[in-house]
């Protein structure tokens, strides 16, 4: 028994010493942050703001790699299978914990395959319409959709994306039939919305800020419970008459499961310092998101609770993909 205890203690001490050694030498090469969405969306914008400052903090280049597709599963699966050494990281949105509810098969466990580093930001979405759409507010939009079932299209950054899910939630709560049109990125969706190829979209705040002030698109409502300072004259869905509507999306930084706690804690500390500087706070505000940080443990708990919450939303909205 004594021999067994000595062996266990020795193994624990070895693991601790290895972790400490890894933390001291980390990072030993460039760090890659995978964004499982196309360029130009708010996930990509946040990643690039963070990447520049994190490179300075870590003393190594930080490369942002866009790997869109399959509702963010392609890029996410790549990171799940990467070496757990802190040199390959992942920025996910709330859709990370929603995929198992809408896809028949997901190649990784969204909880067990990763270790959270920190929550990064919160952001609402905005119901945008092309100016050619005669509806000037949410109630007129709902009336138009009910009068013409499946005639109004809403663009998203892909099947299973947050934009897709929020559109499905809206249709479910308002008892309307909207036609979903998936794109490979939110930028492509916004381009076709401005061109009038599609009539509407539940878009990220950066897309709204790029098109609403110049009159290219109309903003009917934000999806959060409170108005946002970037668009103070745009009502919330609840103010616009859709009672109980509240859908805010978060972004988080994750690492592959098995990444040493010493590295995770180092990253958590560095990111917190970066995100709390006035310069970064302003950049995030201008990008239409609100900095919202967490400990790794708190982020882990949030992912579990959000998985349960959105599972109920998906079932009620009847969203299912192959």
């Amino acid at each position: 028994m004594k021999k067994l205890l000595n062996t266990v203690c020795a193994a624990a001490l070895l693991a601790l010493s290895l972790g400490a050694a890894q933390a001291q030498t980390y990072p030993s090469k460039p760090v890659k942050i995978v964004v499982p969405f196309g360029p130009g969306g708010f996930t990509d914008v946040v990643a690039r703001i963070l990447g520049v400052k994190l490179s300075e903090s870590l003393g190594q280049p930080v490369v942002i790699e866009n790997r869109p597709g399959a509702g963010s599963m392609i890029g996410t699966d790549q990171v799940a299978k990467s070496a757990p050494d802190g040199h390959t990281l992942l920025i996910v949105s709330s859709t990370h914990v929603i995929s198992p509810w809408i896809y028949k098969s997901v190649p990784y466990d969204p909880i067990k395959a990763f270790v959270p580093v920190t929550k990064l930001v919160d952001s609402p979405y905005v119901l945008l319409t092309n100016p050619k759409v005669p509806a000037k507010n949410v109630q007129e939009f709902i009336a138009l959709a009910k009068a013409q079932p499946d005639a109004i299209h809403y663009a998203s950054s892909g099947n299973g994306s947050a934009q897709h899910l929020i559109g499905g939630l809206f249709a479910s709560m308002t008892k309307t039939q909207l036609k979903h049109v998936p794109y490979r990125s939110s930028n492509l969706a916004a381009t076709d919305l401005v061109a009038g190829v599609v009539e509407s979209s539940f878009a990220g705040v950066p897309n709204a800020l790029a098109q609403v002030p110049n009159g290219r698109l109309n903003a009917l409502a934000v999806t959060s419970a409170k108005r946002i300072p970037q668009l103070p004259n745009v009502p919330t869905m609840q103010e616009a008459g859709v009672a109980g509507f509240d859908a805010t999306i978060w972004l988080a930084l994750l690492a592959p499961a098995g990444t040493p706690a010493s590295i995770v804690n180092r990253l958590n500390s560095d990111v917190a310092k970066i995100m709390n500087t006035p310069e970064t706070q302003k950049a995030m505000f201008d990008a239409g998101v609100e900095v919202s940080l967490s400990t790794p443990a708190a982020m882990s708990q949030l992912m579990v609770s959000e998985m349960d919450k959105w599972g109920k939303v998906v079932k009620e909205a009847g969203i299912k993909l192959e």
Side-chain angles (χ1 to χ4, degrees):
M1 183 67 179
K2 185 176 180 181
K3 186 177 180 181
L4 176 61
L5 286 172
N6 288 338
T7 302
V8 171
C9 289
L13 288 171
L14 178 62
L16 286 171
S17 62
L18 286 173
Q22 284 175 305
Q24 288 175 356
T25 59
Y26 173 81
S28 59
K29 59 184 179 180
V31 173
K32 178 169 66 177
I33 298 179
V34 174
V35 176
F37 303 98
F42 87 93
T43 308
D44 181 59
V45 171
V46 169
R48 293 182 187 281
I49 293 171
L50 175 63
V52 171
K53 296 297 182 182
L54 192 58
S55 177
E56 297 172 5
S57 177
L58 295 176
Q60 287 281 358
V62 173
V63 180
I64 307 300
E65 181 179 301
N66 295 93
R67 294 276 292 173
S72 81
M73 289 193 293
I74 291 176
T76 303
D77 188 43
Q78 174 192 334
V79 178
K81 294 173 180 174
S82 297
D85 58 8
H87 290 95
T88 303
L89 306 172
L90 174 72
I91 290 186
V92 298
S93 73
S94 305
T95 55
H96 178 71
V97 294
I98 303 171
S99 295
W101 297 110
I102 59 177
Y103 286 99
K104 189 175 181 180
S105 176
V106 176
Y108 51 81
D109 187 307
I111 305 297
K112 296 179 181 179
F114 302 92
V115 55
V117 174
T118 180
K119 187 182 179 189
L120 294 170
V121 299
D122 286 317
S123 181
Y125 277 65
V126 187
L127 172 54
L128 301 177
T129 58
N130 184 279
K132 294 180 181 178
V133 175
K136 300 306 177 187
N137 56 55
V138 171
Q139 289 304 313
E140 289 181 5
F141 183 79
I142 292 171
L144 189 65
K146 287 184 174 179
Q148 304 174 41
D150 286 330
I152 294 180
H153 303 78
Y154 74 97
S156 83
S157 55
N159 284 320
S161 65
Q163 290 179 276
H164 177 197
L165 292 168
I166 290 176
L169 177 62
F170 176 85
S172 175
M173 291 183 69
T174 59
K175 294 179 171 52
T176 54
Q177 293 181 41
L178 304 175
K179 195 75 171 178
H180 175 232
V181 183
Y183 287 80
R184 284 188 60 82
S185 74
S186 58
N187 257 15
L188 293 174
T191 298
D192 269 11
L193 178 58
V194 171
V197 177
V198 288
E199 293 82 13
S200 66
S201 179
F202 291 82
V205 177
N207 290 124
L209 294 177
Q211 307 295 350
V212 172
N214 57 30
R216 291 178 181 170
L217 295 175
N218 293 328
L220 302 191
V222 294
T223 62
S224 52
K226 296 181 180 179
R227 294 193 184 199
I228 60 173
Q230 294 91 342
L231 296 167
N233 296 322
V234 178
T236 66
M237 280 289 182
Q238 296 186 49
E239 289 175 328
V242 186
F245 197 105
D246 182 9
T248 300
I249 304 302
W250 47 259
L251 300 184
L253 183 66
L254 309 182
T259 301
S262 54
I263 291 177
V264 171
N265 292 333
R266 160 79 188 277
L267 286 166
N268 180 278
S269 177
D270 283 10
V271 170
K273 290 175 184 175
I274 291 166
M275 299 292 274
N276 281 321
T277 63
E279 181 183 358
T280 306
Q281 294 260 349
K282 183 180 184 305
M284 293 296 176
F285 178 88
D286 291 343
V289 298
E290 180 181 356
V291 173
S292 179
L293 304 173
S294 73
T295 63
M299 189 61 228
S300 181
Q301 292 174 353
L302 177 65
M303 287 168 61
V304 172
S305 64
E306 285 280 281
M307 191 167 180
D308 180 59
K309 167 191 167 181
W310 282 101
K312 294 175 182 175
V313 169
V314 168
K315 289 176 182 177
E316 290 174 2
I319 300 172
K320 202 72 178 175
L321 301 171
E322 293 298 323

